[in-house]
Amino acid sequence: MNQAANLDIGLLEALPIGVAVYDADRRVVAINPAHCASLGMPAGSFPPRTPLADIIRSAAYRGLYGPGDPEAQIRAHLHIDRSRSARLRRRQFAGHTYELLITPLPDGGEVVCAVEVTALLTTRQDAETALSRVATAVSNLRLGIAAFGPDRNLLLSNRRFRELLGLPHDGVAAGMSFAALLQLLLTSDEFHGAMGAAFVAEQRDLDRTRPAATRWVRGDGLVIDIASDPLAEGGWTMTANDVSALGGAEDEARRRALMLDSILEHIPHGICVYGADRRVSMFNRAYTEIMRGVPMAVGDHRDDIVRYRATSGEYGSGDPEAIYQQVMARFTTRPQLRRRVRPNGTTIDIRTAPLPDGGHMAVVTDVTPLMQAEREAARRATDMEVMLSSMRHGIMLWDADGKLVAANEKAAELLGHPPGLLVPGRTRSEVMDSMRAHGELGTGPEGVERYRQALRRDFTKPLERFITLRNGRVLEARSDPTADGGVVSTFTDVTATRAAEDELRRAKAAAEAANEAKSRFLASVSHELRTPLNAVIGFSGALLAAEDHPTAEQVREFAQEINAAGRQLLGQINTILDISRIDTGHFELATDLIDPTHLIQTCISGAVPRAEAGQITLRAELPPDLPKLHADRCRLEQVLDQLLSNAVKFTPAGGTVTLRAEAEPDGDLLIQVIDTGIGIVETDLERAFEPFSQLDSTMARRFPGAGLGLYLSRTLIEGHGGRLSLSSRHGTGTTVEIRIPRARLVLPGTAPKETT
């Protein structure tokens, strides 16, 4: 027999790696279960002397080599030059990917090893996909981004950064020093002159260990905010944002992964076999290379090997005896997988599997390149995350199917999304459903319509809009399509800006209202004060101009008119003084114990002469058991007199004015003044309470007054903790309602408070 016949069959059967040995005639000498499994066949499917062509034919017709003509695939595999080593990515079958390693034997035969690399390829693909997603998000930003390392050299920058700063696209590259970049700025037209030089000098001297921000106004009118934020490992990021119209950013990154190959003597996997006596029976060259620094020989006992390695620090620092006991306690009777870092810095995976003879096998793989790639990918992903999390803008990247690819924490914070909502794979409709459920899109039909509009929105074109959230926050939202059909959405909190704008508008409106009120005040007061003053001057002048001494009856008549005009003038002045005290906060109310029935009857009696003069019916509807209350008697009487005066004034002859009062079931005291007068247009109801307001300028002569009655009445009632409301319809009359709160009533069984 040839050399292949001397194989240790038990060792071959226990290997977790597929191995097939063929003789010079390309017939099977030995093939282990792992190799059969890689062919999608059970163990023992290919007995010794099975031709290689039959095995290839079986695999081809079962689709192991992918789509295509099976006979062509068979011919291609049989014509591979097997006189020298070959390495093939053989196939993907049933979700598994295998790599074939063909090694010729001295007797003309060959060894074929099938190593499953599915997990390694999946890890690399997932890592590359994750970085690609982050790079896509950054590259499509309308925000300019640049990152500098601890050595102050440029790590990366996107096109938007260079555009906003007016840098040439072909003059800025990774590795460029920050000083060179600033010098490049000085040579551009954008920063020509003293102001540009000052800006560059400021950037040169800026402390990059602390966050900083500045603003630059470009010559074309664009306003650029430039922010600097330190990175944890040193260096810093710079962001340039067009705050006059939000921009985007682009960045790109690349990542490569390494994969590990090893098996037996001809592949880079270290293999060491221990017999049932726990002594080394064999190890291959790859094992020696991987475990360089810990010499070992066939026949060495496992106890001695483990003790030597524990003492030499192979397993790490610590008590050697404790480490020895820990390693020896590991079971070798079942498959295990461990990973550790050697003292020389290499990282290895150790797989152990039991052998049929009672021994066991250890397969060692140097995964240092893979770990370095993972660390590099993690570091770069961390840098990307730091840059995204350091931004003052919320960012979301959607794919062409409307599914979320990536989002930073700022987006969830600004939009008020619950934790765990903005995760990759979430659909746009799910995010909108969450906003609708939380009431961010409004309620009722309006909320439903906003929800539908959001789902129908066309994202194939740039879109800018403002969003007002339920908490009052105002966001400027912009959506920009990406080249692959996706969308980048950015959100900026402009609440403070909008609030400042609203405050300016309110201040302007208040100033205009104040100016209008002043005009109304001057017009109304001059008219209302002039009338009684004219009466005083006219009657007193008549007395002075009389040729003969006036009779006592004439003196009495003129004196009464002068007295009435003086009282009217005094009333107007007192009202104006009351309003002045209210506006300055120096208005106080007394607390008297009042019988509302007696107060209302007194007010009715005072209004009777005016009602009779206008041929108006005046009546009161009062229950016999109205509760007493604590209030300022003079001010409450002033309110009722004013309301009755208004009702009589604006009710034509033949009309009715009714004053009602009742204690409501909830305990409040309700007083109503109801007239059948000319009424008020519904749109003017609230304006009727504005001071110095005349709803109809044509009524100024027919119905005199300064327009202060309703304003003062409402203020006095609200000072008592009550409410005064007005309801009316033009041409059918007006109803004024006063509600005195329960707390001011003296209910049965309640001791009256002391009055002041």
Side-chain angles (χ1 to χ4, degrees):
M1 294 292 289
N2 54 28
Q3 293 180 0
N6 297 322
L7 288 173
D8 187 333
I9 302 303
L11 169 63
L12 192 64
E13 292 289 324
L15 278 175
I17 301 165
V19 178
V21 182
Y22 299 91
D23 60 17
D25 297 329
R26 295 189 180 180
R27 292 180 180 272
V28 172
V29 174
I31 185 168
N32 68 353
H35 197 86
C36 291
S38 76
L39 293 168
M41 299 293 288
S45 297
F46 307 107
R49 302 295 298 168
T50 299
L52 174 61
D54 291 349
I55 297 176
I56 293 175
R57 178 171 286 103
S58 173
Y61 276 96
R62 284 186 294 107
L64 265 67
Y65 299 122
D69 181 8
E71 289 298 330
Q73 294 172 344
I74 294 169
R75 288 193 297 272
H77 280 74
L78 288 177
H79 283 83
I80 293 174
D81 183 4
R82 300 176 182 273
S83 63
R84 46 185 185 172
S85 298
R87 178 174 176 176
L88 307 174
R89 176 70 53 75
R90 187 180 67 187
R91 61 187 178 275
Q92 289 185 338
F93 178 69
H96 298 274
T97 302
Y98 293 89
E99 188 169 78
L100 297 182
L101 301 163
I102 303 174
T103 304
L105 295 174
D107 61 356
E110 63 185 43
V111 176
V112 180
C113 299
V115 183
E116 184 174 356
V117 293
T118 308
L120 184 62
L121 293 176
T122 301
T123 301
R124 184 177 67 182
Q125 183 178 1
D126 290 345
E128 290 178 348
T129 300
L131 182 59
S132 175
R133 287 173 175 172
V134 176
T136 300
V138 173
S139 65
N140 285 282
L141 289 175
R142 294 185 60 83
L143 186 73
I145 301 174
F148 296 87
D151 56 358
R152 298 179 69 84
N153 287 341
L154 182 65
L155 297 176
L156 56 88
S157 65
N158 64 357
R159 176 180 294 271
R160 187 60 173 164
F161 181 83
R162 298 189 291 273
E163 289 176 351
L164 292 178
L165 290 182
L167 292 168
H169 294 299
D170 56 353
V172 178
M176 181 181 188
S177 69
F178 185 56
L181 188 143
L182 292 179
Q183 187 61 36
L184 191 60
L185 283 179
L186 287 174
T187 63
S188 68
D189 293 338
E190 178 61 35
F191 294 93
H192 181 72
M195 293 183 62
F199 171 81
V200 173
E202 177 190 5
Q203 291 297 312
R204 180 183 296 110
D205 300 334
L206 200 61
D207 181 4
R208 300 295 176 177
T209 62
R210 294 184 300 176
T214 188
R215 174 164 290 182
W216 173 257
V217 180
R218 290 176 45 137
D220 58 5
L222 293 181
V223 182
I224 311 299
D225 275 355
I226 302 172
S228 174
D229 294 283
L231 295 175
E233 63 180 16
W236 72 93
T237 62
M238 288 182 67
T239 57
N241 183 27
D242 179 3
V243 295
S244 57
L246 288 178
E250 66 175 358
D251 191 26
E252 60 181 1
R254 298 177 180 174
R255 182 175 66 161
R256 294 293 180 266
L258 303 171
M259 78 179 172
L260 308 171
D261 307 309
S262 296
I263 194 167
L264 292 176
E265 197 70 29
H266 304 284
I267 52 178
H269 286 278
I271 298 176
C272 181
V273 179
Y274 292 87
D277 58 358
R278 306 209 305 187
R279 293 185 180 275
V280 176
S281 61
M282 68 84 64
F283 57 90
N284 65 353
R285 176 177 51 82
Y287 188 89
T288 304
E289 293 176 355
I290 294 172
M291 300 302 297
R292 184 181 294 109
V294 283
M296 185 177 63
V298 174
D300 287 350
H301 200 282
R302 180 170 179 264
D303 293 359
D304 298 331
I305 295 173
V306 172
R307 188 176 295 279
Y308 172 79
R309 292 180 178 179
T311 304
S312 63
E314 175 66 25
Y315 300 119
S317 60
D319 179 18
E321 184 61 29
I323 294 174
Y324 167 80
Q325 295 295 337
Q326 180 182 5
V327 174
M328 293 302 297
R330 294 173 182 155
F331 292 103
T332 59
T333 57
R334 62 171 181 261
Q336 294 187 27
L337 172 63
R338 301 184 301 280
R339 175 172 292 178
R340 63 182 175 87
V341 179
R342 297 197 63 220
N344 63 5
T346 60
T347 303
I348 57 174
D349 276 355
I350 305 103
R351 293 179 176 85
T352 59
L355 297 174
D357 63 357
H360 73 281
M361 174 184 61
V363 179
V364 181
T365 305
D366 184 355
V367 295
T368 305
L370 177 62
M371 294 300 296
Q372 291 174 342
E374 290 178 355
R375 285 193 293 270
E376 176 66 13
R379 186 190 68 78
R380 297 185 68 178
T382 300
D383 289 346
M384 292 294 183
E385 291 176 1
V386 169
M387 284 192 290
L388 289 175
S389 62
S390 298
M391 293 178 186
R392 297 170 175 83
H393 310 273
I395 300 173
M396 291 190 292
L397 173 64
W398 305 87
D399 63 16
D401 296 327
K403 293 184 178 180
L404 187 65
V405 177
N408 63 355
E409 294 181 1
K410 193 66 176 179
E413 175 191 340
L414 291 176
L415 292 169
H417 288 315
L421 177 64
L422 297 183
V423 296
R426 189 78 70 186
T427 64
R428 186 180 287 110
S429 61
E430 289 175 333
V431 175
M432 298 308 300
D433 287 342
S434 176
M435 294 186 69
R436 180 184 180 187
H438 287 82
E440 298 295 352
L441 300 177
T443 58
E446 181 181 359
V448 174
E449 181 59 27
R450 286 184 180 177
Y451 172 76
R452 292 173 177 170
Q453 290 178 358
L455 293 181
R456 295 194 303 263
R457 189 169 289 132
D458 181 10
F459 290 101
T460 60
K461 301 177 182 176
L463 177 65
E464 188 173 358
R465 63 198 182 280
F466 289 93
I467 301 174
T468 302
L469 301 180
R470 191 176 44 168
N471 59 8
R473 175 178 284 173
V474 181
L475 303 180
E476 182 179 9
R478 184 175 180 90
S479 300
D480 294 281
T482 61
D484 60 357
V487 177
V488 173
S489 300
T490 56
F491 303 90
T492 304
D493 189 345
V494 294
T495 306
T497 303
R498 291 294 293 272
E501 293 174 354
D502 293 342
E503 185 62 29
L504 287 175
R505 283 193 290 269
R506 285 194 294 269
K508 179 182 177 182
E512 292 174 349
N515 188 56
E516 183 180 352
K518 181 185 72 174
S519 300
R520 291 200 307 268
F521 171 78
L522 293 175
S524 300
V525 169
S526 61
H527 176 75
E528 294 301 321
L529 296 183
R530 183 172 56 197
T531 301
L533 282 175
N534 285 338
V536 171
I537 294 171
F539 284 109
S540 61
L543 289 174
L544 293 173
E547 296 180 357
D548 299 326
H549 292 290
T551 64
E553 183 178 353
Q554 288 176 320
V555 171
R556 185 181 301 106
E557 179 184 356
F558 289 178
Q560 288 176 347
E561 294 294 339
I562 293 173
N563 183 268
R567 289 180 179 278
Q568 181 182 356
L569 181 61
L570 179 61
Q572 294 290 348
I573 293 174
N574 285 338
T575 299
I576 294 172
L577 291 176
D578 285 343
I579 291 176
S580 176
R581 284 194 292 269
I582 290 172
D583 290 341
T584 58
H586 297 106
F587 191 83
E588 296 181 357
L589 296 173
T591 305
D592 305 318
L593 183 61
I594 301 172
D595 181 356
T597 301
H598 181 266
L599 177 64
I600 291 171
Q601 290 173 343
T602 300
C603 293
I604 289 288
S605 298
V608 166
R610 285 173 288 173
E612 290 177 347
Q615 300 179 10
I616 297 168
T617 302
L618 185 65
R619 61 189 183 191
E621 297 179 0
L622 305 174
D625 55 350
L626 284 178
K628 294 183 179 182
L629 70 150
H630 294 284
D632 189 321
R633 179 183 182 87
C634 292
R635 296 304 183 184
L636 198 56
E637 184 176 352
Q638 181 181 357
V639 170
L640 294 177
D641 284 343
Q642 180 63 52
L643 297 181
L644 286 171
S645 175
N646 282 353
V648 170
K649 182 193 303 184
F650 295 108
T651 300
T656 303
V657 175
T658 304
L659 198 155
R660 294 177 182 169
E662 63 174 336
E664 293 191 310
D666 61 359
D668 291 346
L669 177 63
L670 174 64
I671 301 174
Q672 293 178 312
V673 178
I674 306 169
D675 65 59
T676 60
I678 61 176
I680 303 173
V681 177
E682 186 175 356
T683 56
D684 289 338
L685 286 177
E686 192 59 32
R687 194 160 64 89
F689 289 100
E690 295 179 4
F692 308 107
S693 176
Q694 293 287 346
L695 299 183
D696 188 349
S697 59
T698 62
M699 294 193 296
R701 295 179 181 177
R702 294 173 54 204
F703 306 105
L708 297 173
L710 284 177
Y711 170 75
L712 182 60
S713 298
R714 172 183 272 188
T715 303
L716 292 175
I717 293 302
E718 289 176 348
H720 285 83
R723 300 194 308 275
L724 187 149
S725 59
L726 188 67
S727 61
S728 180
R729 182 173 296 176
H730 186 62
T732 60
T734 302
T735 299
V736 182
E737 288 189 353
I738 298 174
R739 291 184 181 273
I740 305 298
R742 175 189 178 93
R744 286 190 171 271
L745 304 185
V746 181
L747 302 175
T750 303
K753 299 179 182 178
E754 294 183 2
T755 61
T756 59

